[in-house]
Amino acid sequence: MPNKSTIIKVKKNSSGDITAVMFGDESVHSIEEAIDMAKNGYIESVNVGKAKNGREYLRSNPNGTEGDNLDTKPTF
């Protein structure tokens, strides 16, 4: 099992879409890279969803706590 990274901050575009993520080691990856990493089990507490238009996106695993959702993470 790979060591898992934790997303601590997100970068959003003017529409509010997440375009990049920052991990606990302060490395920054595009959302496309992060989606691939999540598919391979490298990110803690997230999964990959698919929108109706077929676009993939990251989402927090459901746990009943809104405070740790990706949309509520600090931005950079």
Side-chain angles (χ1 to χ4, degrees):
M1 181 58 106
N3 288 334
K4 293 189 176 192
S5 296
T6 301
I7 296 172
I8 60 166
K9 293 182 180 182
V10 297
K11 187 174 207 172
K12 296 181 181 183
N13 64 18
S14 59
S15 299
D17 298 322
I18 296 172
T19 59
V21 297
M22 179 184 289
F23 294 109
D25 65 0
E26 297 189 355
S27 64
V28 175
H29 295 272
S30 71
I31 193 64
E32 293 83 6
E33 291 171 324
I35 287 169
D36 285 340
M37 293 170 73
K39 286 180 179 178
N40 290 306
Y42 288 103
I43 305 177
E44 187 77 35
S45 302
V46 299
N47 63 77
V48 178
K50 190 174 271 196
K52 290 180 183 180
N53 65 6
R55 184 180 62 92
E56 293 181 318
Y57 62 95
L58 279 184
R59 62 183 179 189
S60 301
N61 290 340
N63 64 4
T65 304
E66 288 187 27
D68 63 358
N69 290 348
L70 293 177
D71 275 339
T72 62
K73 296 277 187 195
T75 58
F76 66 96

